[in-house]
Amino acid sequence: MSELVPGGNLPLPAGSVTVRVPGPFDVSALVTDDSGKVRGDADFVFYNQPSAPGARLRGDTLTVDPSRLRQGATRVTVVVSPADAGTPLGRLPTPVLHVSGPGGHAIARFAPPRPRQETVLLLAEIYRRGDGWKLRALGQGYADGLAGLARDFGVDVVEDATPTPVPSAPAPPVPAAPPVPTARPATHTLSAVTTPHLSSPAPDGFLDLVNSARGRAGSPPVTLDARLASAARAHARAMAQAGRLGVEGGDGVCVYQRVTAAGYAYLTVGEHLVSGPRTPAEFVAYCLRTEQPRRTLHDPAFTHAALAHATGGRSGDTYWTALWARPLTPGDLSRTATEVVDLTNRERARAGLRPLAVDPALGTAAQDYSADMAARAFYSHTSPEGSRPWDRAAAAGSPMRSIGENIACGQRSPAEVVEGWMNSPGHRANILKRDFTHIGVGFAGGGPAGTYWTQLFGA
């Protein structure tokens, strides 16, 4: 596998190429010809328009088959931006590009110089050279966001001056909207990409009912989020088609994967999967009758919500999906890692051991691995390519001679994950190992388990 630097390039094998950027990012792509200009709607691939001829986006992974690109296309530029719109990339982990060829064979890795105030980064381009295709590492940033990027590709940008108002009156559920075009010949609009995700109308008073109950419990109100609504609709349909309730739908995709695929990177997430209620009011009443569902509905950690239902199966039952979430912000990511470190050092203090110091290289390796497990839906100390904890630490630039790793999945908070590790003899031994002096922590949401945690220890 090649480690690329800005400007570095290498030939690509024939067939499909996969590029992946794990972490709290949105991946998108521009398909252009020799002029470097987009030709139309289908040339822009992003979370709301995830496919084009020869290019398909799923979550953080873009698959490109050069032989199937539109006629005249000679370049695919890979773009990354924060999932939380407007956040400078410098406040997030460095976006790292992983490139694989046919069969998942790792080809290259590119870690650009750490961005500062940039909000969009051109990571790489796949381009035609003669009869073959090559990959070039870029690392070019834009401080003025996707609008600045668009102008560089010859797009006249028209941005909305004010967000579209959200109806205050209850409205019936509406079907999923088709992708909003983001690029057109002559005059272009990027409003679907450059503005925040707008809230969806509340289905039959759902939001009022929920926030009334949350207010009585002393919890702040939640707002509806269009990305969560899209994921809820998809999961309700999948359950209805399979005729059964489940975190994993009949199509093999779990509800957490639908949330991240919709472009919502979360710090914490909850779900209600229910069959039986006929209206949103009945659904909320059910949640309030039972302790665990009521606790989720009242949870003050959540800031966004969505509700959807679908009818299907041999019984004709109605299947409901409610999603509750809090978005992952750069500050949240940093605070979560700090809290895990503090709780870990508290356990070491109780055992009379010195505290562990935070090591940036171990933190990078841990964060990348949590994001990788979530994105590729695996859970193991050994990656699909065969790398082990010490391999990942060394690749991140750590000089530590002794490495240990704890991983966990499914826990919803730093306190819960550290408690779980301390209740496991092997994980507890790593936390309380006298020789360890440094630590790095990673966290990512997504995948079948919902959350993935990594502690990387070094000495």
Side-chain angles (χ1 to χ4, degrees):
M1 183 179 69
S2 299
E3 289 282 346
L4 297 177
V5 298
N9 63 78
L10 79 165
L12 294 174
S16 296
V17 175
T18 298
V19 296
R20 184 174 58 88
V21 186
F25 307 108
D26 281 337
V27 178
S28 52
L30 291 150
V31 181
T32 60
D33 51 28
D34 288 334
S35 70
K37 309 299 182 183
V38 295
R39 180 180 290 181
D41 295 350
D43 281 351
F44 220 128
V45 179
F46 68 111
Y47 61 84
N48 206 34
Q49 183 168 275
S51 63
R56 182 169 186 81
L57 178 66
R58 182 171 182 178
D60 63 5
T61 302
L62 175 73
T63 301
V64 177
D65 185 346
S67 67
R68 295 181 179 273
L69 293 172
R70 66 159 174 83
Q71 186 176 7
T74 58
R75 184 186 307 167
V76 178
T77 304
V78 181
V79 181
V80 66
S81 55
D84 183 18
T87 301
L89 286 166
R91 295 172 59 191
L92 298 175
T94 300
V96 179
L97 183 76
H98 301 266
V99 185
S100 302
H105 175 69
I107 298 174
R109 179 181 181 274
F110 173 50
R114 186 171 183 81
R116 295 184 180 179
Q117 295 304 312
E118 295 91 340
T119 55
V120 176
L121 194 66
L122 303 188
L123 269 185
E125 62 181 8
I126 296 168
Y127 65 100
R128 179 188 289 277
R129 177 58 57 87
D131 294 331
W133 289 79
K134 303 183 74 173
L135 173 79
R136 178 185 291 116
L138 297 175
Q140 178 184 354
Y142 291 80
D144 51 350
L146 284 170
L149 168 68
R151 280 187 284 269
D152 245 29
F153 280 79
V155 179
D156 295 325
V157 179
V158 179
E159 296 181 82
D160 295 337
T162 57
T164 302
V166 179
S168 56
V174 297
V180 181
T182 59
R184 292 193 295 270
T187 302
H188 305 261
T189 173
L190 291 178
S191 59
V193 182
T194 57
T195 59
H197 298 275
L198 301 178
S199 298
S200 295
D204 294 338
F206 168 70
L207 192 64
D208 291 338
L209 292 167
V210 164
N211 283 334
S212 176
R214 287 175 66 87
R216 292 193 297 271
S219 298
V222 292
T223 58
L224 290 159
D225 185 273
R227 296 163 295 180
L228 294 182
S230 174
R233 284 193 295 269
H235 199 71
R237 286 196 297 264
M239 291 193 301
Q241 289 168 0
R244 60 178 173 81
L245 295 171
V247 171
E248 182 178 292
D251 56 1
V253 181
C254 82
V255 67
Y256 314 117
Q257 290 170 307
R258 297 189 205 280
V259 172
T260 54
Y264 192 106
Y266 57 80
L267 175 67
T268 186
V269 67
E271 73 284 340
H272 286 132
L273 309 176
V274 180
S275 176
R278 293 165 297 177
T279 66
E282 289 186 7
F283 176 88
V284 173
Y286 158 78
C287 292
L288 294 174
R289 281 198 303 269
T290 311
E291 181 182 358
Q292 185 56 51
R294 182 170 61 247
R295 188 180 306 162
T296 299
L297 189 150
H298 287 162
D299 194 331
F302 297 131
T303 59
H304 291 131
L307 177 69
H309 69 277
T311 301
R314 287 175 294 181
S315 65
D317 291 339
T318 299
Y319 293 83
W320 296 81
T321 298
L323 293 172
W324 316 84
R326 181 187 188 95
L328 179 66
T329 68
D332 286 330
L333 187 62
S334 176
R335 283 189 293 271
T336 297
T338 298
E339 191 171 347
V340 171
V341 173
D342 290 346
L343 291 168
T344 299
N345 280 334
R346 195 175 302 169
E347 297 294 343
R348 288 178 65 87
R350 290 192 182 116
L353 300 173
R354 291 177 301 174
L356 301 171
V358 173
D359 180 77
L362 293 179
T364 296
Q367 180 60 37
D368 286 352
Y369 198 58
S370 286
D372 193 20
M373 288 190 291
R376 293 200 284 173
F378 74 94
Y379 180 68
S380 172
H381 289 287
T382 303
S383 76
E385 290 77 31
S387 74
R388 305 296 299 274
W390 42 89
D391 301 320
R392 297 188 286 272
S398 172
M400 305 290 172
R401 291 174 294 177
S402 177
I403 296 292
E405 183 179 74
N406 285 346
I407 58 176
C409 62
Q411 294 80 3
R412 302 298 173 92
S413 70
E416 186 179 342
V417 74
V418 173
E419 180 183 6
W421 280 328
M422 288 300 293
N423 289 332
S424 167
H427 299 95
R428 179 187 178 92
N430 272 338
I431 289 175
L432 301 182
K433 186 171 180 178
R434 184 177 299 273
D435 293 342
F436 285 145
T437 57
H438 291 81
I439 187 174
V441 174
F443 165 82
T451 56
Y452 293 79
W453 305 78
T454 302
Q455 280 182 318
L456 207 52
F457 305 91

